[in-house]
Amino acid sequence: MSLSVFLFISCIFLLIHSYLFYPLSIYFLKNILKKDINADYKFEPKISILIAVYNEEMVIEKTLRNFLNSEYDIDKIEFIVGSDNSIDRTNEILTNLKTIIPNLQFIPFNTRRGKSQILNDLVKYATGEILVFSDANTIYQSDALKNLVKHFINPSIGGVSGRLLLLDHEKAAETGNQESKYWEFENWIKENEGSMGCLIGANGGIYSIRKDLFVPLPSDSPVMDDFYISLKVLEQEKKFIYDKTAIAKEEIASDIKIEFRRRIRNNAIDLSSIQFIKELLKPKFGLISYGLWSHKIVRWLSPILLIVMLITNIILFDLSLFYSYLFFLQVLLYLCSFLGYLFTRIGIKFIPFSLCYYFVFMNLALLIGIFRFLGKKQPAFWQSTKRS
């Protein structure tokens, strides 16, 4: 077997495995390995809701006021919000909210340091048994906190992720942003992983852990807090599960260009995070290792696989009809993606083309993220997504 054939077949296998075989395999494994986990809806320990913010004047008040509608006993909730040197009206709004929202601690920081260091500091102020991590624009349903916390009655549970629903912005489809459709697929994968207690990365806007399992986030290198924190819980041999009834909602970016920039940033940070959870990549961690490689790392490197697959396919084009057909399929994908871009520009909605455009465009973002990671150009600071 020539090197070109080996590389071509390997790239096809890895891509199909990550997007098809892995999701199907964990669906079937779930039915074999799933165990009923005790839960008590009346279980209400004290909880600390942590939110790190930077320039969130458009959304933070709505988010905090929404928590007041929770079915969870408000006297057992403390809200701890840290502002990473915000320069808009965020600090003013939070200061005013202290007179309205019980148990709200607002901690303004005068130096911009990034989300990881803010969260590390907020945990020091927390007195709750359970830590709940939320984003500034995440709206929880009234029963979401109860559905998250009810599982901690079981001592084997170290963390619980809720279900984050991404709502289409009214202008999103006009720019080709199909993030909400992709996210439905991701939530299905997370549900299957969580049913076996090995969720590979919580939903950042709605997840919870036992406070005594919190491992401080690195301060000298950017990491994704939801990914790092949930993997560190698994590393301590506790289960991390997913509850699809603990629902929160966020609105997706109004423009695919905004989503494009977010993907670049996230992939650079995701790749940087690997160094801190590399122990879990070893085969001895079984399902956790399998999920990390299949669900995360192969996905993050998929643009490299797509490029190698195309180049080797060109080299092998004349070898047989098999390679010729696969080459034309690849060309068709990129042609449909280009048509999706053109249709979007002139206001025509055709979902197959839009999905191809979204897939290719987001893989381009992942590729730029890889280069940013290799060049160590990704800062620890985050920029909040534009709100409407």
Side-chain angles (χ1 to χ4, degrees), residues 185-216:
F185 177 56
E186 277 294 295
N187 270 331
W188 180 76
I189 293 176
K190 289 176 182 291
E191 181 181 350
N192 289 323
E193 291 175 341
S195 65
M196 296 182 286
C198 58
L199 177 63
I200 310 298
N203 284 326
I206 177 168
Y207 71 104
S208 55
I209 69 167
R210 296 183 187 276
K211 184 186 176 185
D212 59 5
L213 296 179
F214 177 79
V215 177

Side-chain angles (χ1 to χ4, degrees), residues 121-265:
D121 286 346
L122 297 187
V123 170
K124 296 174 185 177
Y125 288 92
T127 60
E129 179 183 339
I130 307 298
L131 305 178
V132 178
F133 298 86
S134 174
D135 287 336
N137 65 320
T138 309
I139 301 300
Y140 283 44
Q141 288 193 358
S142 61
D143 61 350
L145 290 174
K146 273 185 166 289
N147 285 326
L148 279 179
V149 175
K150 67 183 181 183
H151 300 283
F152 288 103
I153 191 73
N154 188 324
S156 70
I157 302 300
V160 184
S161 173
R163 180 185 179 193
L164 184 63
L165 299 181
L166 296 184
L167 307 179
D168 282 322
H169 189 282
E170 59 182 4
K171 296 180 180 178
E174 297 174 11
T175 67
N177 192 353
Q178 300 293 324
E179 176 68 9
S180 62
K181 293 180 176 58
Y182 171 77
W183 192 248
E184 290 174 7
F185 177 56
E186 277 294 295
N187 270 331
W188 180 76
I189 293 176
K190 289 176 182 291
E191 181 181 350
N192 289 323
E193 291 175 341
S195 65
M196 296 182 286
C198 58
L199 177 63
I200 310 298
N203 284 326
I206 177 168
Y207 71 104
S208 55
I209 69 167
R210 296 183 187 276
K211 184 186 176 185
D212 59 5
L213 296 179
F214 177 79
V215 177
L217 292 105
S219 58
D220 57 348
S221 182
V223 295
M224 296 300 291
D225 63 281
D226 48 2
F227 177 70
Y228 175 89
I229 291 172
S230 51
L231 267 293
K232 285 299 180 181
V233 168
L234 292 174
E235 197 173 66
Q236 296 175 73
E237 300 183 348
K238 293 293 185 178
K239 294 179 181 178
F240 209 114
I241 65 172
Y242 177 94
D243 190 323
K244 65 180 181 181
T245 67
I247 297 173
K249 298 177 181 179
E250 289 182 10
E251 193 174 76
I252 68 172
S254 60
D255 193 311
I256 194 172
K257 294 178 183 178
I258 299 173
E259 181 62 26
F260 184 77
R261 291 192 292 269
R262 188 185 73 84
R263 282 297 181 94
I264 292 173
R265 181 188 71 238

